[in-house]
Amino acid sequence: MIPLKEKIRIASGEGIADLLIKNGRVVEVFSGQIEKKDIAIYQGVIVGFGDYRAREIIDVKGDFLCPGLIDGHVHIESGMVTIPEFARAVLPNGTTTVVIDPHEIANVMGLNGIRFMAESAKGVPLNVFIMLPSCVPATHMETSGAILTADNLRSLFKETWAIGLAEMMNFPGVIFRDPEVLKKIEMAKGRRIDGHAPLLSGKGLYAYLTAGIQSDHECTTLKEAKEKLRNGMWIMIREGSTARNLKDLLPLVNPKNSRRFLFVTDDRHPKELLEEGHINTMVKEAIKLGIDPILAIQMVTLNAAEYFRLDALGAIAPGYRADIISFDHLGRFKIKKVFKDGVLVAEGGKMIARSAEPFLFSLESKKRPQRKGSIRVGTIKKDALLLRSDQPLAKVIQLIPGQILTKKAMKKILLRDGVAYPNIKEDILKIVVMERHRATGNIGIGFAQGFGIRRGAIGSSVSHDSHNFVIVGTNDGDILKATMAMKAMGGGLVVVLEGKVLASLPLPIAGLMAEASVSQVNLRLTALHRAAKTLGCKLPDPFMTLSFLSLPVIPELKITDKGLVDVNQFKIVPLFGENE
Amino acid sequence: MIPLKEKIRIASGEGIADLLIKNGRVVEVFSGQIEKKDIAIYQGVIVGFGDYRAREIIDVKGDFLCPGLIDGHVHIESGMVTIPEFARAVLPNGTTTVVIDPHEIANVMGLNGIRFMAESAKGVPLNVFIMLPSCVPATHMETSGAILTADNLRSLFKETWAIGLAEMMNFPGVIFRDPEVLKKIEMAKGRRIDGHAPLLSGKGLYAYLTAGIQSDHECTTLKEAKEKLRNGMWIMIREGSTARNLKDLLPLVNPKNSRRFLFVTDDRHPKELLEEGHINTMVKEAIKLGIDPILAIQMVTLNAAEYFRLDALGAIAPGYRADIISFDHLGRFKIKKVFKDGVLVAEGGKMIARSAEPFLFSLESKKRPQRKGSIRVGTIKKDALLLRSDQPLAKVIQLIPGQILTKKAMKKILLRDGVAYPNIKEDILKIVVMERHRATGNIGIGFAQGFGIRRGAIGSSVSHDSHNFVIVGTNDGDILKATMAMKAMGGGLVVVLEGKVLASLPLPIAGLMAEASVSQVNLRLTALHRAAKTLGCKLPDPFMTLSFLSLPVIPELKITDKGLVDVNQFKIVPLFGENE
């Protein structure tokens, strides 16, 4: 590493800088002004403005310059790619820093998963900071790949990339003072603790805040955000692939309170990453909605850096890292050049080859999890999926279009010789969750209504939050075939018809992420969706829907490897009969 | 300590709070709004708003409530009292938190001095955080009581009260990369590093910032503050007893940049502490000058807490410490009640007895420095002050009224039999700096013009930054008498005439602080000033003037125990003759 004294020397005007970015109109996030000036950079650090000698000069000809963008809360796993590939997708959009919560991979691989994420970020021109997942597993009603206690997590705080405790989703656990939850909070004292508390209000909210939770990205209404803001939470306004809150929350922002707002994406899927972009789309949209562009830029740069206490990030100033982006127009915010640590890594929406190549290989790291390594499913007996029943009335998971909430409905199932079958005419399919971390042989079986599938089966190893195999289908043969196919791929998504795989996406990394680029993944996803349609599926994204049917914290009826979960009662219930 | 879970329990509405402050109009520093609501407090922490049961209720009847005020940079030694007494003076003014730089006591007693300050804050209802003095001693041209290296200081960062590195006054040392200076900066990495760089601009400033310096409290003009703000410095606007910058700098503040401003006092002497107040006067004045009261309050609460990363301070919100003040009117900002950790400690400008008493005794701490312990002066020979010269032309320190700058002037001195005498007719007095830490016997002797003293002598053990004895007088007898008197008191201020002490203020703690209240000290100071006037002195505060004549970093001519210092040449020069 270049010693501090060398940087000071260049800053003071002695010696020669590496790069001078000339003729930029610099957005000064501290003063809130725009100033035309030249930026001198040495060893990845901004060392001064104005008249410096430099080895290289890049003239941005009056373009605007602002700090690289910071996404304050993102689950990279939702992009279904590794960090290097995620970086290739978001860097051209101006994102130079992400604060990630590796909650998904942690549910599969525990500490090793978190370490893998940190490891795979090495050499990648993207700053990656990690908030330690606070809720692994999500509930006791499912089998995850790992259980992370406060004592487990504590060891990671030695690492510079571990900067806080990620979204504390278990807000009832906080309010009702679950000892392990409080232990995690106390362990993180002095660091940031992110919240996740949809609709929490009044005394419940006060209790949550008294515990020390500092932010929230789950606000959906102005009223909710207002209450959380005034009571001390940093408000992370979210625009994910599905949850989109910018339009609703932005009217709350004004110059007196804007410092307490960040922009985050939470979950962005390959399609939106490709077609819409990343956090830059939020800046664009916010400006369109009428916010002062300077405030919008502050929110995705300085504010995030201040909240997370990221020294030397979030501003164009001496001593700061030279993460700088150029754009053409304050109103349009169309990103042109992206400098990471003073190196031009992307331009005109594309990575620059010389920068893109080296980090494609960072996955060769020794700490990289082995392909298929995360899948441990034993042999499945032929009749493992057979459902015996003496009564035809079953609790059925009813999909609600466009939501991850479901309804619980009592429906008549087809019964033949004491065996229950899907009622395809009524769109009631069999849904199976198969434990895939420890080969316990756990299988949860139920029925789901609303997919529209009339033949075959679809399956996924992405299934929140424990990421067991989840398969929905019309017959046991295809459901089993889907399982086998996923096992063979080491995890992934699959569409099966009459014993044949019609389409698939291998996700060999923890069953969550591909060894491919975002666009390659997206092509496969498109093929999967097309194949699902040939089965009769009517949903725009059946895999997304499928992946949330196993999340037992969202009402009303869900299914895990341990069985059917009545979320309102927060317990496992029998599939057949009205009882319970 | 009350466990977290108890606080959460009370917040959630179970159990009974300690205190409910009813009917306050709460200044919400996060949202920038004012909201009428009741505040529930439990074990010194705010746990919620609204309808809570509480053991005690205090009705503030519509008064405004805001967080306790934070002074972001203050040398408590300038108040000439200990922390408990300082607290008694500032708490009624609404100050509940101070970030101190114990630079003066550190120059006398080193690490023990810093530890003493931390120790003496214990049990005092004032949050005291310490920035570690970065420049002890100030120069190599004087003898201080201690030398603090990076390695010395590092050990203190184990303490929770040590939060950063105090004002880096040696900005040339930074820019020119003095290894020990850079070592201190690198040692403080990840913590706040305060700056002190009057008039530093352009590449010098960039170099200083590239090193990692983060704030400045020395701006005197709008232009200077603007440059420092936009380049990333937090601007601490200062209103000390002498340096007053609020009026000049406030026009720079607007809602888009105000988050980067703090208010600080730096140095407030007993008179101003008593007659004007503390940081509250800055809020008042700022509002009078037209700033939005909410912004002004943010600057002395939230902004300071954010800059110094003081968790749970600077806001009235659940989980925050119940440091709360009430005031009558947004425009007037006259402070009424002061709650520290949920306890009413002051009201109507006065301490409340039950709170004031316990911490008066915290000075009984074992770590307290012994009376007279800091003074080590050997026997002084009768002719020690005799000045022999063969030429009458000497370099004379000329005072500039109202400034700590001096002029260097060549003046004719009275010569009789090869001995030089003060020229009282021309107001040229003898000035002596006597080393008092290590009994080296070092004596610097020179001449000063501008005191107006026509007989006797005045002396001080407060003399920046090494705090040796400094005495100015008309004759050697009285100068020696002043020295003896200061030695006998264990340090202090003294006025002597014809061998008799006319007035004195003992400062037995490091020769800097009294064992008395601010008002007792102020009475003594008034008597000292009156006595100095009887000697003919024309200066409003001769001791203040005297204390800066030994500071060899302020031009042009100063004096230390090592001799006369030409500050522009930054070296010791001979007293007589024009040479050098």
Side-chain angles (χ1 to χ4, degrees), chain A residues 320-345:
Chain A
Y320 280 67
R321 289 175 76 162
D323 299 349
I324 298 170
I325 62 180
S326 77
F327 57 100
D328 59 344
H329 185 280
L330 265 187
R332 272 197 302 271
F333 200 67
K334 187 174 152 76
I335 288 159
K336 296 172 83 172
K337 290 186 169 66
V338 179
F339 298 88
K340 179 74 192 70
D341 295 318
V343 176
L344 185 66
V345 293

Side-chain angles (χ1 to χ4, degrees), chain B residues 118 122 128-130 156-164 191 310:
Chain B
K122 282 189 187 159
V128 178
F129 297 97
I130 298 184
L156 292 183
F157 274 142
K158 282 181 307 210
E159 310 287 350
T160 52
W161 44 257
I163 61 170
R191 293 185 165 84
L310 305 176

Side-chain angles (χ1 to χ4, degrees), chain A residues 268-308:
Chain A
R268 284 230 172 167
H269 305 293
K271 186 177 157 72
E272 286 75 28
L273 280 175
L274 276 178
E275 294 175 3
E276 297 183 26
H278 193 225
I279 201 88
N280 58 319
T281 59
M282 293 190 70
V283 179
K284 254 185 233 184
E285 185 65 18
I287 293 171
K288 232 183 262 169
L289 290 168
I291 198 110
D292 180 335
I294 304 277
L295 292 193
I297 289 169
Q298 282 178 333
M299 284 190 264
V300 287
T301 58
L302 180 61
N303 295 13
E306 283 191 352
Y307 172 66
F308 288 109

Side-chain angles (χ1 to χ4, degrees), chain B residues 255-274:
Chain B
K256 264 194 228 177
N257 66 24
S258 69
R259 65 206 278 189
R260 306 290 292 187
F261 288 86
L262 281 69
F263 284 170
V264 306
T265 61
D266 203 358
D267 296 289
R268 284 231 173 167
H269 305 292
K271 185 177 158 71
E272 286 76 29
L273 280 176
L274 276 178

Side-chain angles (χ1 to χ4, degrees), chain A residues 28 51 203 259 292 303, chain B residues 51 203 230 256 259 303:
Chain A
E28 298 181 339
D51 178 30
K203 287 180 178 164
R259 67 206 276 189
D292 180 335
N303 295 13
Chain B
D51 177 32
K203 287 181 180 164
R230 66 161 31 142
K256 264 194 228 177
R259 65 206 278 189
N303 295 14

